[in-house]
Amino acid sequence: MAEGTLYGVGVGPGDPDLITVKAMKLLQRVPVVAWPAPLEGESLARRIAAPHLPAAAIEIPIRMPMVEARFPAEQVYDAAADQIAEHLKAGRDVAVLCEGDPFFYGSFMYLFARMTEAHRVEVIPGVSSLMASAAMTGAPLASRNDVLTILPAPLPEEDLARRLKAADAAAFIKVGRHFDKVLRLLEAEGMADSALYIQHATMEKQMILPLRDAAAGAVPYFSMILAHRRGDAWRKPEETSVAAGRALS
């Protein structure tokens, strides 16, 4: 009997219509589906994919503490890998749902690391939260030869400051309780006034605000701040200089 294939399936940022056609076709035929979830409550990844899941699919919830200090939950992923491996050995394909894209800070990578040497693994890419956030804000991330830097907000402040100073455009991810730190850094670089804050991109409770209007105490972990040194990515450097000169006169 041929062993099954493990698929890491990106289901996009939240809107079920943003699942790719390839992912949808796979989900409609795969016999086993695994999905990450908090210890209690529903799985966002499963909710996104729900319209495309067959009723007869075997489902494997991977429940873990969704808190920064205890993630990834190594023992939980070990147990899930063992459970998935049994299905693969029995010839059943398994799809693991992942919000956004599996290889862009996706939770699937923790299973990938455990499974890839012993099993056949394929990845179905998805719309990442970064691409979705840019589309929802209506603000291009970068242009021409701009350097776009993706900065995980939990990094130490001095590391973020050094990396931000070298960037033309920046996307701060995993903001949460690090909001005040990110605001300080962008203010120091003169990028705060044009920066945008977004949470729950493409979902019903999506919120987009100028950075200074976002409330630090209410910022969820999975939120994002987008900023560009020229204010708008489509502006040429000389246009930015002229605009700045007018503002000062």
Side-chain angles (χ1 to χ4, degrees):
M1 178 187 299
E3 183 172 289
T5 299
L6 174 62
Y7 295 93
V9 182
V11 297
D15 182 348
D17 287 344
L18 289 177
I19 292 181
T20 66
V21 173
K22 186 171 185 177
M24 180 184 68
K25 289 180 178 178
L26 175 71
L27 293 176
Q28 289 172 343
R29 70 166 178 79
V30 76
V32 184
V33 179
W35 33 267
L39 292 176
E40 296 182 358
E42 73 170 340
S43 161
L44 176 57
R46 191 199 182 284
R47 178 160 65 88
I48 296 168
H52 311 296
L53 299 180
I58 300 168
E59 298 197 33
I60 303 174
I62 306 173
R63 293 196 176 273
M64 68 195 81
M66 297 291 189
V67 292
E68 181 182 339
R70 299 174 62 189
F71 188 86
E74 301 292 350
Q75 292 181 334
V76 173
Y77 281 111
D78 288 343
D82 290 341
Q83 192 173 1
I84 290 169
E86 290 303 313
H87 286 288
L88 297 176
K89 292 173 184 176
R92 291 185 285 272
D93 292 341
V94 180
V96 178
L97 308 181
C98 183
E99 297 164 33
D101 180 88
F103 280 172
F104 182 72
Y105 296 94
S107 58
F108 176 72
M109 70 181 69
Y110 304 112
L111 284 172
F112 176 83
R114 289 163 168 80
M115 309 292 285
T116 188
E117 293 183 0
H119 304 279
R120 185 167 59 250
V121 181
E122 295 183 21
V123 171
I124 310 299
V127 177
S128 73
S129 58
L130 177 58
M131 300 302 108
S133 292
M136 294 300 99
T137 60
L141 292 167
S143 66
R144 302 180 182 87
N145 293 323
D146 288 342
V147 175
L148 170 64
T149 302
I150 300 167
L151 298 168
L155 283 174
E157 189 162 349
E158 57 272 22
D159 289 350
L160 290 172
R162 173 173 51 83
R163 295 173 187 273
L164 179 61
K165 194 170 290 292
D168 300 303
F172 287 88
I173 62 174
K174 308 176 186 178
V175 175
R177 62 187 178 85
H178 305 282
F179 179 90
D180 288 339
K181 176 175 66 177
V182 175
L183 177 58
R184 283 196 304 273
L185 292 167
L186 289 171
E187 286 177 333
E189 290 297 314
M191 300 167 69
D193 288 340
S194 59
L196 294 173
Y197 166 85
I198 183 167
Q199 66 183 49
H200 304 302
T202 78
M203 291 183 270
E204 300 89 347
K205 52 185 177 180
Q206 172 180 290
M207 180 183 296
I208 302 172
L209 294 169
L211 177 58
R212 295 190 186 279
D213 292 345
V219 174
Y221 180 67
F222 290 112
S223 55
M224 191 173 300
I225 293 172
L226 304 178
H228 198 287
R229 197 167 293 279
R230 292 194 299 275
D232 297 315
W234 62 81
R235 293 189 186 277
K236 299 177 182 178
E238 58 270 24
E239 292 175 340
T240 306
S241 300
V242 170
R246 288 173 180 166
L248 293 173
S249 61

